[in-house]
Amino acid sequence: MQSTPRPPASRAAAALAELVRFRTVSSRLDHEVDAAEFEGFIAALARLYPAVHAALDLERVTGSALLFRWPGTGPDPAARPTVLMAHYDVVPAGDPEAWTHPPFSGHIDGTHLWGRGTLDDKGQLVAVMEAAESLLDAGFAPARDLYFSFGNNEETAGDSAAAAAALLAGRGVRPWLVLDEGGAVAGGAFPGVRRPAAVVGVAEKGILDVELLTRDPGGHASTPPRMGATARLARAITRIERSPFPQSLPDVTAEMLRRFGPHAPAPLRAVFARLSLFRAPVTLLFGRMGNETNAMTRTTVAITTLEGSPGANVLAATARANANIRVAVGETVEGTVERLRRIIRDPKVELRVVEGNDPSPVSPYSGPQWELLEASITEVFPEALVTPYIMMGGTDSRRFTGICTAVYRFAPFSMDAGARASIHAVDEKILLETLERGVTFYETLIREL
């Protein structure tokens, strides 16, 4: 495969800057969604990419999600279709005064493009569209059907992606390959490994929200009872904090270490080369190296919201907390809830599953789809080690695992630790150079499909 070096950031950056200015913040509550911003985004996309909108079939799914079909021109165009995914909704930006540049400004400083959604995930959507527009301008047509599925509520419900997958399933479309956001070309991905790692998600943990609820008669705060609603809830939370879920080292993580091994410092190199002998101590080590490595080895529980009394001098009649749980591959929602009950050890703490899904199936990290993806990454990012990994977060692509066995999660952008930390935080921004490399990646991949 050969890729053509792209000029300095121009059209792609200008398009992304404009699209960032649309405040496409998603919410589970319809009245909190500004439909005009979503409609403005869709209209701008049509204006920015006229060739795509002229050549591809477009239908809207559940209102604002977009599903493009690029018809194949080969003898059997419906065979081995591919789905490229992204989403254009974003999380709230928080206090705009905390940002170096306003979060919806699309500010370009000559090196970076700033704004909410630049990395998650409008940048990836622009890279796909820019690649398609350039290929169409050059007269290219794919041999097989190619779909672009762009979600509008990935950050909340994700039901638009589920509807898109159901729509394709109803038409008998069984994708050969699905590629969504997820991993990236990560600098400092593993301690001691200097080369950047192109980490490709082959699975993702399950996501589970459990409400913890305690009840009490309430009353005046001047006569507090022992173990009232808030105290009981606090004890439950403390027990969860003190009793982490058991560790394990999934096969995918072991494969990642095997690939890192030759590039790790000498002591780790020897250990990773004999991982079958050192699996148990490596698993324990991961739990102590940091939050990211710890999360690779177990189901994690984070208490994210708390609610108690409405007044400073009022005893809480109810107290509640939300436990956001990332369920490890190999475990289930049902088993996780039962373990949580055993950890809390208090029948007066009510547990209610708000929403949850089991971990996704593990896609293969060998075979034709993986090899095509790996070759495309290596062509555009020759400096990077390519490795599978298990995603800690969730993506729309999990909705497609029922119709495709090769579902991958990779954003073709270089991201150092600071860039990764800015996702869902302040000062989210993308390097202009890496945006252009992302476009080149999709051009390379689409040509080879």
Side-chain angles (χ1 to χ4, degrees), residues 173-213:
V173 177
R174 301 284 299 184
W176 181 75
L177 169 69
V178 172
L179 179 62
D180 196 5
E181 63 168 336
V185 181
F190 191 81
V193 178
R194 295 184 178 180
R195 287 183 63 181
V199 289
V200 180
V202 296
E204 49 189 77
K205 283 183 163 183
I207 302 178
L208 170 63
D209 281 303
V210 177
E211 181 188 71
L212 284 62
L213 177 67

Short mmCIF file of all heavy atoms in Angstrom, two decimals, residues 173-213:
data_model
loop_
_atom_site.label_atom_id
_atom_site.label_comp_id
_atom_site.label_asym_id
_atom_site.label_seq_id
_atom_site.Cartn_x
_atom_site.Cartn_y
_atom_site.Cartn_z
N VAL A 173 -27.75 -7.02 5.75
CA VAL A 173 -26.36 -6.56 5.66
C VAL A 173 -25.57 -7.13 6.84
O VAL A 173 -25.92 -6.89 8.00
CB VAL A 173 -26.28 -5.03 5.67
CG1 VAL A 173 -24.82 -4.57 5.65
CG2 VAL A 173 -27.05 -4.45 4.49
N ARG A 174 -24.53 -7.89 6.53
CA ARG A 174 -23.64 -8.45 7.55
C ARG A 174 -22.24 -7.89 7.31
O ARG A 174 -21.50 -8.39 6.48
CB ARG A 174 -23.61 -9.97 7.46
CG ARG A 174 -24.96 -10.65 7.62
CD ARG A 174 -25.42 -10.67 9.05
NE ARG A 174 -24.51 -11.41 9.93
CZ ARG A 174 -24.75 -11.63 11.21
NH1 ARG A 174 -25.85 -11.15 11.77
NH2 ARG A 174 -23.89 -12.30 11.94
N PRO A 175 -21.86 -6.83 8.00
CA PRO A 175 -20.58 -6.20 7.73
C PRO A 175 -19.40 -7.15 7.90
O PRO A 175 -19.36 -7.96 8.83
CB PRO A 175 -20.52 -5.06 8.74
CG PRO A 175 -21.95 -4.77 9.07
CD PRO A 175 -22.63 -6.10 9.01
N TRP A 176 -18.45 -7.03 7.00
CA TRP A 176 -17.19 -7.77 7.08
C TRP A 176 -16.27 -7.13 8.10
O TRP A 176 -15.51 -7.81 8.79
CB TRP A 176 -16.55 -7.78 5.69
CG TRP A 176 -15.25 -8.51 5.59
CD1 TRP A 176 -15.08 -9.87 5.58
CD2 TRP A 176 -13.94 -7.94 5.44
NE1 TRP A 176 -13.74 -10.18 5.44
CE2 TRP A 176 -13.02 -9.01 5.35
CE3 TRP A 176 -13.47 -6.63 5.36
CZ2 TRP A 176 -11.65 -8.82 5.19
CZ3 TRP A 176 -12.10 -6.43 5.21
CH2 TRP A 176 -11.20 -7.51 5.13
N LEU A 177 -16.38 -5.82 8.23
CA LEU A 177 -15.53 -5.05 9.13
C LEU A 177 -16.30 -3.84 9.63
O LEU A 177 -17.00 -3.18 8.85
CB LEU A 177 -14.26 -4.60 8.40
CG LEU A 177 -13.36 -3.57 9.08
CD1 LEU A 177 -12.69 -4.18 10.31
CD2 LEU A 177 -12.29 -3.05 8.11
N VAL A 178 -16.18 -3.55 10.92
CA VAL A 178 -16.72 -2.33 11.51
C VAL A 178 -15.58 -1.64 12.25
O VAL A 178 -14.84 -2.27 13.01
CB VAL A 178 -17.87 -2.62 12.50
CG1 VAL A 178 -18.27 -1.36 13.26
CG2 VAL A 178 -19.08 -3.20 11.77
N LEU A 179 -15.42 -0.33 12.01
CA LEU A 179 -14.37 0.44 12.67
C LEU A 179 -14.98 1.70 13.27
O LEU A 179 -15.58 2.50 12.56
CB LEU A 179 -13.26 0.80 11.69
CG LEU A 179 -12.10 1.63 12.27
CD1 LEU A 179 -11.38 0.85 13.36
CD2 LEU A 179 -11.13 2.04 11.17
N ASP A 180 -14.77 1.87 14.56
CA ASP A 180 -15.31 3.02 15.29
C ASP A 180 -14.18 3.69 16.06
O ASP A 180 -13.02 3.27 15.99
CB ASP A 180 -16.40 2.54 16.25
CG ASP A 180 -17.29 3.66 16.78
OD1 ASP A 180 -17.14 4.82 16.33
OD2 ASP A 180 -18.15 3.38 17.64
N GLU A 181 -14.51 4.73 16.81
CA GLU A 181 -13.55 5.38 17.70
C GLU A 181 -13.07 4.40 18.77
O GLU A 181 -13.63 3.32 18.93
CB GLU A 181 -14.19 6.58 18.38
CG GLU A 181 -15.36 6.18 19.28
CD GLU A 181 -15.85 7.28 20.18
OE1 GLU A 181 -15.08 8.21 20.48
OE2 GLU A 181 -17.01 7.19 20.60
N GLY A 182 -12.09 4.81 19.53
CA GLY A 182 -11.62 3.96 20.62
C GLY A 182 -10.18 4.21 20.95
O GLY A 182 -9.83 5.24 21.53
N GLY A 183 -9.31 3.28 20.56
CA GLY A 183 -7.89 3.47 20.78
C GLY A 183 -7.34 4.56 19.89
O GLY A 183 -8.05 5.18 19.10
N ALA A 184 -6.05 4.80 20.02
CA ALA A 184 -5.39 5.85 19.24
C ALA A 184 -3.91 5.51 19.16
O ALA A 184 -3.47 4.47 19.66
CB ALA A 184 -5.60 7.21 19.90
N VAL A 185 -3.15 6.38 18.52
CA VAL A 185 -1.70 6.24 18.53
C VAL A 185 -1.23 6.96 19.79
O VAL A 185 -1.13 8.19 19.82
CB VAL A 185 -1.07 6.83 17.26
CG1 VAL A 185 0.44 6.65 17.29
CG2 VAL A 185 -1.65 6.14 16.02
N ALA A 186 -1.00 6.19 20.82
CA ALA A 186 -0.81 6.74 22.15
C ALA A 186 0.66 6.81 22.53
O ALA A 186 1.36 5.80 22.51
CB ALA A 186 -1.56 5.88 23.17
N GLY A 187 1.11 7.99 22.86
CA GLY A 187 2.43 8.17 23.42
C GLY A 187 2.40 7.91 24.91
O GLY A 187 1.43 8.24 25.59
N GLY A 188 3.44 7.25 25.43
CA GLY A 188 3.47 6.93 26.85
C GLY A 188 2.38 5.97 27.25
O GLY A 188 1.87 6.03 28.37
N ALA A 189 2.05 5.04 26.34
CA ALA A 189 0.95 4.11 26.61
C ALA A 189 1.31 3.10 27.68
O ALA A 189 0.44 2.61 28.40
CB ALA A 189 0.54 3.40 25.33
N PHE A 190 2.61 2.77 27.76
CA PHE A 190 3.03 1.77 28.73
C PHE A 190 4.35 2.19 29.33
O PHE A 190 5.26 2.61 28.61
CB PHE A 190 3.15 0.39 28.08
CG PHE A 190 3.32 -0.72 29.07
CD1 PHE A 190 2.23 -1.25 29.72
CD2 PHE A 190 4.58 -1.22 29.37
CE1 PHE A 190 2.38 -2.27 30.66
CE2 PHE A 190 4.75 -2.23 30.30
CZ PHE A 190 3.64 -2.76 30.95
N PRO A 191 4.49 2.11 30.66
CA PRO A 191 5.73 2.56 31.31
C PRO A 191 6.96 1.87 30.73
O PRO A 191 7.01 0.65 30.61
CB PRO A 191 5.51 2.17 32.78
CG PRO A 191 4.03 2.14 32.96
CD PRO A 191 3.48 1.65 31.64
N GLY A 192 7.94 2.68 30.36
CA GLY A 192 9.20 2.14 29.88
C GLY A 192 9.27 1.90 28.38
O GLY A 192 10.34 1.68 27.84
N VAL A 193 8.12 1.94 27.70
CA VAL A 193 8.09 1.73 26.25
C VAL A 193 8.08 3.10 25.59
O VAL A 193 7.12 3.86 25.72
CB VAL A 193 6.85 0.90 25.82
CG1 VAL A 193 6.82 0.75 24.30
CG2 VAL A 193 6.88 -0.47 26.49
N ARG A 194 9.14 3.43 24.87
CA ARG A 194 9.28 4.76 24.29
C ARG A 194 8.50 4.92 23.00
O ARG A 194 8.05 6.02 22.68
CB ARG A 194 10.75 5.07 24.07
CG ARG A 194 11.56 5.15 25.36
CD ARG A 194 13.00 5.56 25.09
NE ARG A 194 13.75 5.70 26.34
CZ ARG A 194 15.03 6.05 26.40
NH1 ARG A 194 15.70 6.32 25.26
NH2 ARG A 194 15.64 6.16 27.56
N ARG A 195 8.37 3.85 22.23
CA ARG A 195 7.64 3.98 20.97
C ARG A 195 6.16 4.19 21.24
O ARG A 195 5.60 3.61 22.18
CB ARG A 195 7.82 2.72 20.11
CG ARG A 195 9.18 2.59 19.48
CD ARG A 195 9.24 1.36 18.58
NE ARG A 195 8.31 1.45 17.45
CZ ARG A 195 8.16 0.49 16.53
NH1 ARG A 195 8.88 -0.63 16.63
NH2 ARG A 195 7.31 0.63 15.54
N PRO A 196 5.49 5.02 20.46
CA PRO A 196 4.04 5.13 20.60
C PRO A 196 3.36 3.82 20.23
O PRO A 196 3.91 3.03 19.44
CB PRO A 196 3.67 6.25 19.64
CG PRO A 196 4.79 6.29 18.65
CD PRO A 196 6.02 5.86 19.37
N ALA A 197 2.22 3.60 20.77
CA ALA A 197 1.47 2.37 20.52
C ALA A 197 0.14 2.69 19.87
O ALA A 197 -0.63 3.50 20.39
CB ALA A 197 1.25 1.60 21.82
N ALA A 198 -0.10 2.08 18.73
CA ALA A 198 -1.42 2.18 18.09
C ALA A 198 -2.28 1.09 18.70
O ALA A 198 -2.21 -0.08 18.31
CB ALA A 198 -1.30 2.00 16.58
N VAL A 199 -3.06 1.47 19.71
CA VAL A 199 -3.85 0.49 20.44
C VAL A 199 -5.23 0.39 19.79
O VAL A 199 -5.93 1.38 19.64
CB VAL A 199 -3.95 0.85 21.94
CG1 VAL A 199 -2.61 0.65 22.63
CG2 VAL A 199 -4.40 2.29 22.15
N VAL A 200 -5.58 -0.81 19.40
CA VAL A 200 -6.84 -1.06 18.69
C VAL A 200 -7.75 -1.87 19.60
O VAL A 200 -7.43 -3.00 19.98
CB VAL A 200 -6.58 -1.84 17.38
CG1 VAL A 200 -7.90 -2.09 16.64
CG2 VAL A 200 -5.60 -1.09 16.50
N GLY A 201 -8.88 -1.29 19.95
CA GLY A 201 -9.81 -2.00 20.82
C GLY A 201 -10.46 -3.17 20.09
O GLY A 201 -11.10 -2.98 19.06
N VAL A 202 -10.30 -4.36 20.63
CA VAL A 202 -10.94 -5.55 20.06
C VAL A 202 -12.14 -5.98 20.89
O VAL A 202 -12.88 -6.90 20.51
CB VAL A 202 -9.94 -6.72 19.93
CG1 VAL A 202 -8.83 -6.38 18.95
CG2 VAL A 202 -9.35 -7.11 21.29
N ALA A 203 -12.32 -5.31 22.02
CA ALA A 203 -13.47 -5.55 22.88
C ALA A 203 -13.60 -4.35 23.80
O ALA A 203 -12.68 -3.54 23.91
CB ALA A 203 -13.30 -6.83 23.70
N GLU A 204 -14.73 -4.24 24.46
CA GLU A 204 -14.90 -3.20 25.45
C GLU A 204 -15.61 -3.76 26.66
O GLU A 204 -16.42 -4.69 26.57
CB GLU A 204 -15.65 -1.99 24.89
CG GLU A 204 -16.91 -2.28 24.15
CD GLU A 204 -17.46 -1.04 23.45
OE1 GLU A 204 -16.94 -0.64 22.40
OE2 GLU A 204 -18.44 -0.47 23.98
N LYS A 205 -15.24 -3.22 27.79
CA LYS A 205 -15.89 -3.63 29.02
C LYS A 205 -17.38 -3.35 28.97
O LYS A 205 -17.84 -2.46 28.25
CB LYS A 205 -15.28 -2.88 30.20
CG LYS A 205 -13.91 -3.38 30.68
CD LYS A 205 -13.49 -2.59 31.90
CE LYS A 205 -12.39 -3.28 32.66
NZ LYS A 205 -12.04 -2.54 33.90
N GLY A 206 -18.13 -4.09 29.77
CA GLY A 206 -19.53 -3.76 29.94
C GLY A 206 -19.68 -2.50 30.76
O GLY A 206 -18.78 -2.15 31.54
N ILE A 207 -20.78 -1.80 30.57
CA ILE A 207 -21.06 -0.58 31.33
C ILE A 207 -22.33 -0.80 32.14
O ILE A 207 -23.37 -1.21 31.59
CB ILE A 207 -21.21 0.63 30.42
CG1 ILE A 207 -19.95 0.83 29.57
CG2 ILE A 207 -21.51 1.89 31.22
CD1 ILE A 207 -20.04 1.98 28.59
N LEU A 208 -22.25 -0.54 33.42
CA LEU A 208 -23.36 -0.82 34.32
C LEU A 208 -23.51 0.33 35.31
O LEU A 208 -22.53 0.75 35.94
CB LEU A 208 -23.08 -2.13 35.07
CG LEU A 208 -23.98 -2.51 36.25
CD1 LEU A 208 -25.43 -2.73 35.78
CD2 LEU A 208 -23.45 -3.77 36.93
N ASP A 209 -24.71 0.86 35.43
CA ASP A 209 -25.02 1.86 36.45
C ASP A 209 -25.99 1.23 37.44
O ASP A 209 -27.06 0.73 37.06
CB ASP A 209 -25.65 3.11 35.83
CG ASP A 209 -24.62 4.02 35.20
OD1 ASP A 209 -23.70 4.43 35.92
OD2 ASP A 209 -24.73 4.31 34.00
N VAL A 210 -25.59 1.25 38.70
CA VAL A 210 -26.41 0.69 39.78
C VAL A 210 -26.70 1.78 40.79
O VAL A 210 -25.79 2.46 41.27
CB VAL A 210 -25.70 -0.49 40.47
CG1 VAL A 210 -26.54 -1.00 41.65
CG2 VAL A 210 -25.46 -1.62 39.48
N GLU A 211 -27.97 1.96 41.12
CA GLU A 211 -28.35 2.92 42.15
C GLU A 211 -28.33 2.22 43.51
O GLU A 211 -28.91 1.14 43.67
CB GLU A 211 -29.74 3.47 41.89
CG GLU A 211 -30.19 4.50 42.92
CD GLU A 211 -31.63 4.92 42.77
OE1 GLU A 211 -32.54 4.10 43.07
OE2 GLU A 211 -31.86 6.06 42.33
N LEU A 212 -27.67 2.84 44.48
CA LEU A 212 -27.69 2.39 45.86
C LEU A 212 -28.65 3.31 46.61
O LEU A 212 -28.49 4.54 46.59
CB LEU A 212 -26.29 2.49 46.51
CG LEU A 212 -25.25 1.43 46.17
CD1 LEU A 212 -24.88 1.42 44.69
CD2 LEU A 212 -23.99 1.66 47.02
N LEU A 213 -29.64 2.73 47.28
CA LEU A 213 -30.67 3.53 47.94
C LEU A 213 -30.85 3.07 49.38
O LEU A 213 -30.96 1.86 49.64
CB LEU A 213 -32.00 3.41 47.19
CG LEU A 213 -33.21 4.13 47.80
CD1 LEU A 213 -33.01 5.65 47.73
CD2 LEU A 213 -34.50 3.72 47.09
#
